[in-house]
Amino acid sequence: MIELNFSNMMEEVIGVKGITEKLLESFKNRVEEAHLQIVGRKWKELEFLELPDKETSEIKRIAKEIRGDSDNFLILGIGGSALGPRAILEALSPLHNLLKSPRIFIYDNVDPRTLKQILSIIDLKKTTVNVISKSGSTAETAASFMILWDEMKKAMGNDAAKRFVATTDPESGTLRKLATENNMRTLPIGEGIGGRYSVLSPVGLLLSEVIGIDSDELLKGAKDIHRKCSDHELWQNPAYMFGSLLYLMNTEEKRDINVMIPYADSLKSLSEWFCQLWAESLGKLGLGMTPYPSVGTTDQHSQLQLWMEGPEDKVVIFIRINNYGVDISIPGVFEDIEGMHYLSGHSLSGLIKAEEESTELALAKNGRPNLTINIPLIDAYHLGQLFHFFEIATAFTGFLIGINPFNQPSVEEGKNFTYGMMGKKGFDSKKLEVEQARDKKVCWKI
Ligand code: PA5
């Protein structure tokens, strides 16, 4: 089971800039109010809490077909529809395309150079395209889908639809309509599940099965942490404690940056997934905390100086891996050179763990708050726990802040300007607004 160690957030350990037990005790009513919203399912978007109990046989059936007939699996999607699958891929099958088949491509950004490269590598006749969009109307995903549909038609003629799987809303949206009309295989993203809370739905589970990872393990992990994170008692519930501590550091100590630093290359994408979840859910009405993705030990050599001595505006969240599953020992070479020889006989996992622990301690000694999530092993079970833990913690923190953690109104505004510029019906006024703004910008150009 993953574990939260928050000693380095507390006054007893880091001094006056820490949180006191008394403050946490006095905060219990707020925790209870947020808890009641969760257990009372006050928001339909809390449907993500039910994902660990969902049936997965259709996902497995489609994944088996894909493994049997595809050399390439290409995901088209953006935001929550891409970051979750990427986090699973990189955590559970690092360097996948060099080692295993089918090769996986996740095309999210509409950068033409990237798509050209992908198209130059894959044989479309041996490719399954998984187009993922909850709304079914996101411009980036719609554009890449249109391109792939056209290319697939050229390659496969009337059989083109057989090479697609659409993962989208069960009922509504353009993608659902198109998929039904063209007899594509489809997988549903439950009505109340928002993009960034969708990783444990078919959005992430199909990819997981395609790369040979048992999706039931992800769900089992999520189910087990769910039990622990359902306790109304703050001191027993790691997701509530995580959210409460970051919230209090923000409101009481004016720390509004949360650095996420897993000590594993393969969790870098998890860190990016978390950043989207935290930023898009909580950054509203002038409130929220800025997440900042990072990876250890690498960023000790690029960012740590700032965290230690720069502005006192951060909380550092470590993810510590207890067992890396593999290890390499550092050989006894260069015996006469003490600058190197002290490393002999140790292992790489020993070194990375020592660095993680030392960094926690150094920050704490300097009065810089940090907390640690310990994970026993990087596997599907514990990754499922991390996903679900962070989702519960984020929704809970949104309720503490008093905002809606499930919408993204300002992202929608940007989308509407894009629709206007691309000539979508009903968005003429948005186009005009962009053009007027452009004229203003011209005056201030050098
Ligand atoms: O979390 C969210 O809702 C967003 O980040 C979406 O995932 C993103 O905008 C893509 O939306 P959709 O899945 O509807 O294409």
Side-chain angles (χ1 to χ4, degrees):
M1 186 76 85
I2 64 169
E3 227 176 50
L4 177 72
N5 185 331
F6 55 96
S7 310
N8 291 345
M9 298 287 274
M10 304 302 285
E11 192 187 63
E12 282 85 340
V13 179
I14 60 166
V16 289
K17 290 166 193 159
I19 303 284
T20 59
E21 286 194 17
K22 199 166 148 220
L23 179 61
L24 284 170
E25 280 302 318
S26 68
F27 193 63
K28 275 186 161 176
N29 286 345
R30 300 281 306 281
V31 172
E32 193 62 32
E33 281 164 24
H35 173 72
L36 289 177
Q37 297 204 47
I38 294 175
V39 286
R41 298 287 192 274
K42 290 280 154 63
W43 304 72
K44 75 171 179 359
E45 292 89 346
L46 286 165
E47 189 182 327
F48 77 85
L49 294 169
E50 269 113 55
L51 286 173
D53 296 313
K54 290 272 188 265
E55 236 286 291
T56 55
S57 54
E58 182 61 1
I59 298 172
K60 289 184 171 158
R61 190 189 64 73
I62 295 179
K64 197 168 166 209
E65 283 176 6
I66 296 167
R67 283 202 308 274
D69 72 5
S70 301
D71 290 347
N72 309 294
F73 181 66
L74 168 58
I75 290 182
L76 309 176
I78 197 161
S81 299
L83 290 162
R86 186 174 286 133
I88 293 177
L89 175 69
E90 292 188 7
L92 302 181
S93 194
L95 301 180
H96 180 90
N97 288 358
L98 297 178
L99 300 166
K100 292 184 185 156
S101 173
R103 293 179 302 182
I104 309 295
F105 300 88
I106 301 178
Y107 182 63
D108 50 357
N109 200 3
V110 277
D111 181 337
R113 297 180 77 210
T114 313
L115 189 54
K116 266 276 181 225
Q117 295 279 30
I118 294 174
L119 289 173
S120 74
I121 295 168
I122 60 175
D123 175 356
L124 285 172
K125 291 186 177 133
K126 293 181 186 156
T127 299
T128 296
V129 181
N130 181 201
V131 49
I132 308 179
S133 176
K134 174 65 199 298
S135 62
S137 59
T138 302
E140 292 88 339
T141 310
S144 55
F145 174 46
M146 289 161 81
I147 294 166
L148 260 299
W149 178 254
D150 189 49
E151 292 293 327
M152 197 63 93
K153 275 267 177 200
K154 287 182 210 153
M156 298 286 296
N158 288 340
D159 283 341
K162 292 188 184 146
R163 306 244 43 118
F164 284 85
V165 179
T167 306
T168 187
D169 188 274
E171 304 282 342
S172 64
T174 315
L175 180 57
R176 169 61 59 180
K177 190 165 172 279
L178 269 171
T180 311
E181 280 170 11
N182 289 285
N183 284 325
M184 279 179 208
R185 288 167 291 178
T186 61
L187 288 167
I189 309 172
E191 202 210 322
I193 313 274
R196 56 192 178 274
Y197 293 86
S198 71
V199 61
L200 295 175
S201 78
V203 169
L205 300 189
L206 180 62
L207 175 274
S208 160
E209 289 286 339
V210 168
I211 60 172
I213 300 292
D214 184 358
S215 58
D216 290 343
E217 281 297 298
L218 281 161
L219 296 183
K220 191 166 177 295
K223 206 169 176 158
D224 288 350
I225 198 73
H226 190 149
R227 263 192 292 278
K228 207 168 161 64
C229 297
S230 299
D231 201 311
H232 78 113
E233 170 54 55
L234 174 63
W235 292 92
Q236 300 298 328
N237 186 323
Y240 290 3
M241 186 56 91
F242 177 87
S244 300
L245 288 167
L246 292 180
Y247 174 79
L248 289 169
M249 275 293 175
N250 181 227
T251 51
E252 304 290 313
E253 297 292 327
K254 308 291 168 253
R255 292 185 181 269
D256 51 16
I257 298 176
N258 301 145
V259 177
M260 164 68 71
I261 179 163
Y263 273 65
D265 291 330
S266 63
L267 295 185
K268 195 170 178 185
S269 293
L270 176 84
S271 181
E272 279 159 10
W273 170 86
F274 168 78
C275 287
Q276 186 221 2
L277 177 69
W278 196 248
E280 209 167 52
S281 300
L282 305 183
K284 277 155 209 170
L285 305 174
L287 303 167
M289 293 158 256
T290 305
Y292 175 133
S294 190
V295 72
T297 66
T298 311
D299 286 331
Q300 286 177 208
H301 299 271
S302 75
Q303 308 291 320
L304 183 59
Q305 171 63 34
L306 174 77
W307 307 343
M308 287 289 282
E309 224 189 295
E312 300 227 20
D313 54 3
K314 296 171 200 66
V315 175
V316 180
I317 304 161
F318 291 92
I319 298 186
R320 179 181 170 87
I321 289 82
N322 292 347
N323 178 354
Y324 283 78
V326 293
D327 217 344
I328 299 180
S329 54
I330 305 170
V333 294
F334 307 130
E335 276 161 32
D336 303 336
I337 304 176
E338 181 44 31
M340 285 195 174
H341 186 64
Y342 71 97
L343 292 167
S344 295
H346 292 286
S347 64
L348 287 186
S349 79
L351 178 59
I352 196 168
K353 287 198 302 194
E355 296 224 27
E356 188 276 329
E357 196 176 351
S358 310
T359 309
E360 276 182 26
L361 178 63
L363 283 165
K365 229 181 119 185
N366 212 20
R368 307 278 165 142
N370 61 87
L371 50 77
T372 305
I373 297 163
N374 283 294
I375 73 165
L377 198 65
I378 303 176
D379 59 8
Y381 177 78
H382 294 102
L383 188 64
Q385 292 199 341
L386 286 173
F387 283 137
H388 209 58
F389 167 83
F390 285 128
E391 286 172 349
I392 296 173
T394 304
F396 168 81
T397 309
F399 299 148
L400 289 181
I401 297 174
I403 47 90
N404 173 356
F406 304 115
N407 64 359
Q408 53 282 328
S410 301
V411 177
E412 301 307 326
E413 181 69 340
K415 282 186 184 177
N416 292 341
F417 285 135
T418 307
Y419 290 152
M421 283 158 74
M422 302 309 275
K424 191 172 179 180
K425 254 197 194 148
F427 291 86
D428 297 350
S429 63
K430 294 289 163 193
K431 182 176 185 210
L432 196 66
E433 223 178 311
V434 174
E435 283 165 357
Q436 284 165 350
R438 206 181 274 154
D439 289 345
K440 261 188 227 153
K441 259 200 311 205
V442 171
C443 315
W444 303 95
K445 224 167 157 179
I446 297 179

